[in-house]
């Protein structure tokens, strides 16, 4: 393989316990994830928050059938991308009490389910704000330097891939359920994009050079929105989708501007909205039986604590686009991630990875 994303990793042993991944010919030595539940791999588990999912039936299709705090029946995009790039099979949460020193050189996740760019979003739900996640990343850098040395740490930080998913909860929660509603949506979207822009600029100052900023989901088509605002036919809520489109367009433009203003910053806007919406519009063609309801419970409103072992889940999550009222199944994520990686010219990595995207 000779493209920029060639999966060649040179491993250098620096102690009996720690290995340092080297970036060679554009390969990615580490993955980092920030933002919300789309990328969260368990950071909320020990927070004083009701925004948790570290209990069955969550995780029923994860390794060992364990509920790890991932908002799905199995893996989430941070895991799938890490595996597809040959970095590691799953991305550990930075706040996981079982995190080991040897986990640090290949990256960790800081994302927190329920978070967003707006501090109101995270504050009301008691989860990690984006600024708190950035502080944890700074703490991580110190630990990484202690483990692998300054030069190796700098290489890992500058060559790693950073994923950010933020904005979903700002629109779906903060704007719809708080005083933010008094603002015109385009004005609010401008504010959120400004906060998001500041975040990626701060990442740059800390050494990040390769960042993927994910769009929002088609929020009006999530089961929770359809079943609460979609009428008797449970249609997609177009006004909410339009808000997501407005925000995504502003975000894409802002990221393009930042990319050209900062030297050597490979900052890319990644469209998650369209591939998921395509699946929702033609679920049968994508191999699913339903895109209206989730798999957990009635599939209408259950999410987090209301999606629990007492209400159960459907027999086959992979036949459903959504796992709960707000999150796709692992199978849906696999299709979305495959689409993203192919769009960004990493299809060879998919073929070589242990994951099979069909």
């Amino acid at each position: 393989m000779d493209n920029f994303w060639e999966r060649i990793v040179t491993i250098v042993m620096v102690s009996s316990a720690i290995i340092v991944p080297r970036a060679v010919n554009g390969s990615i030595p580490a993955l980092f994830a920030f933002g919300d539940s789309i990328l969260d791999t368990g950071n909320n588990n020990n927070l004083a928050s009701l925004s948790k999912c570290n209990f069955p039936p969550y995780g029923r299709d994860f390794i060992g059938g364990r509920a790890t705090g991932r908002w799905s029946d199995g893996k989430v995009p941070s895991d799938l991308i890490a595996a597809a790039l040959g970095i590691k099979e799953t991305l550990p949460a930075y706040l996981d009490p079982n995190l080991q020193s040897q986990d640090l050189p290949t990256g960790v996740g800081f994302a927190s389910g329920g978070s967003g760019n707006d501090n109101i979003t995270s504050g009301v739900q008691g989860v990690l704000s984006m600024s708190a996640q950035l502080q944890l990343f700074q703490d991580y850098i110190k630990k990484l330097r202690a483990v692998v040395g300054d030069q190796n740490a700098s290489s890992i930080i500058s060559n790693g891939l950073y994923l950010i998913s933020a904005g979903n909860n700002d629109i779906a929660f903060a704007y719809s359920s708080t005083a933010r509603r008094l603002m015109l949506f385009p004005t609010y979207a401008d504010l959120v994009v400004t906060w998001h822009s500041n975040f990626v600029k701060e990442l740059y100052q800390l050494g990040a050079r390769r960042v993927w900023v994910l769009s929002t989901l088609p929020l009006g088509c999530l089961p929770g929105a359809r079943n609460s605002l979609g009428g008797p036919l449970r249609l997609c809520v177009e006004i909410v989708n339009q808000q997501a489109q407005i925000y995504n367009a502003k975000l894409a433009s802002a990221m393009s501007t930042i990319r050209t203003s900062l030297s050597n910053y490979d900052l890319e806007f990644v469209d998650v909205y369209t591939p998921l919406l395509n699946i929702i519009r033609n679920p049968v063609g994508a191999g699913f039986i339903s895109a209206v309801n989730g798999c957990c419970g009635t599939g209408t409103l259950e999410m987090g604590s209301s999606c629990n072992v007492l209400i159960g889940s459907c027999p086959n999550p992979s036949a459903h686009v959504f796992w709960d009222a707000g999150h796709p199944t692992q199978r849906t994520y696999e299709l979305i991630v495959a689409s993203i990686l192919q769009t960004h010219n990493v299809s060879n990595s998919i073929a070589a990875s242990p994951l099979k995207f069909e």
Side-chain angles (χ1 to χ4, degrees):
M1 297 180 292
D2 60 357
N3 60 44
F4 180 78
W5 297 93
E6 184 177 3
R7 292 175 60 244
I8 302 175
V9 179
T10 302
I11 303 299
V12 179
M13 185 72 68
V14 296
S15 73
S16 59
I18 306 298
I19 56 177
V20 181
R22 296 284 190 179
V24 179
N25 294 335
S27 66
I28 311 296
L31 186 76
F32 305 95
F34 297 87
D36 56 29
S37 56
I38 304 303
L39 301 176
D40 184 8
T41 55
N43 281 308
N44 284 13
N45 293 353
N46 296 308
L47 298 181
S49 169
L50 296 177
S51 185
K52 298 180 188 289
C53 61
N54 57 336
F55 41 79
Y58 285 95
R60 56 173 283 179
D61 296 313
F62 191 73
I63 302 165
R66 296 179 294 116
T68 60
R70 289 167 169 82
W71 295 82
S72 185
D73 59 304
K75 296 178 181 179
V76 293
S78 37
D79 299 310
L80 299 173
I81 293 174
L85 294 176
I87 297 170
K88 50 189 170 185
E89 186 175 4
T90 60
L91 189 73
Y94 185 63
L95 295 184
D96 184 344
N98 297 314
L99 187 72
Q100 302 296 313
S101 294
Q102 56 263 33
D103 295 322
L104 300 181
T106 49
V108 292
F110 304 93
S112 178
S115 190
N117 296 291
D118 190 337
N119 284 335
I120 288 180
T121 303
S122 56
V124 172
Q125 301 187 77
V127 300
L128 298 174
S129 65
M130 296 300 286
S131 59
Q133 293 178 36
L134 202 65
Q135 290 173 357
L136 289 176
F137 180 57
Q138 292 173 298
D139 180 67
Y140 160 84
I141 292 174
K142 294 177 182 178
K143 291 181 179 178
L144 180 66
R145 292 187 184 282
V147 169
V148 303
D150 289 347
Q151 184 175 352
N152 287 322
S154 295
S155 177
I156 290 168
I157 296 301
S158 62
N159 289 290
L161 174 62
Y162 297 75
L163 306 177
I164 308 172
S165 172
N168 291 293
N169 295 309
D170 297 322
I171 298 171
F173 172 72
Y175 186 71
S176 65
S177 304
T178 73
R180 300 294 194 199
R181 186 69 179 177
L182 298 176
M183 304 172 66
L184 294 174
F185 183 77
T187 301
Y188 179 65
D190 285 335
L191 266 180
V192 176
V193 169
T194 297
W195 293 325
H196 206 322
S197 298
N198 291 338
F199 183 86
V200 299
K201 291 175 184 176
E202 290 180 89
L203 271 185
Y204 179 87
Q205 294 301 322
L206 291 172
R209 290 297 181 269
R210 183 179 290 147
V211 177
W212 285 4
V213 173
L214 277 59
S215 74
T216 70
L217 308 182
L219 299 170
C221 291
L222 303 185
R226 295 173 77 136
N227 285 284
S228 60
L229 300 172
L233 297 180
R234 293 180 293 175
L235 302 175
C236 290
V237 185
E238 288 308 316
I239 188 172
V240 179
N241 276 351
Q242 289 169 8
Q243 290 171 347
Q245 291 168 5
I246 291 170
Y247 171 77
N248 289 335
K250 291 177 179 290
L251 182 63
S253 177
M255 295 305 104
S256 178
T257 298
I258 294 173
R259 177 173 182 165
T260 57
S261 67
L262 296 175
S263 63
N264 192 32
Y265 201 7
D266 185 6
L267 175 63
E268 298 190 48
F269 174 80
V270 176
D271 181 13
V272 178
Y273 183 103
T274 301
L276 179 54
L277 185 62
N278 288 340
I279 292 172
I280 292 169
R281 286 174 170 170
N282 184 18
V284 175
F288 299 99
I289 61 173
S290 173
V292 176
N293 291 334
C295 174
C296 189
T298 64
T300 56
L301 296 171
E302 292 87 353
M303 184 168 60
S305 60
S306 60
C307 173
N308 56 63
V309 69
L310 295 178
I311 66 169
S313 58
C314 66
N316 182 17
S318 64
H320 291 255
V321 174
F322 292 99
W323 162 249
D324 62 15
H327 303 95
T329 58
Q330 174 180 299
R331 177 57 183 161
T332 303
Y333 279 141
E334 288 174 350
L335 295 175
I336 293 171
V337 166
S339 174
I340 291 171
L341 295 182
Q342 288 165 357
T343 299
H344 290 267
N345 300 317
V346 290
S347 56
N348 286 338
S349 292
I350 299 174
S353 78
L355 293 173
K356 301 299 182 184
F357 299 112
E358 302 172 351

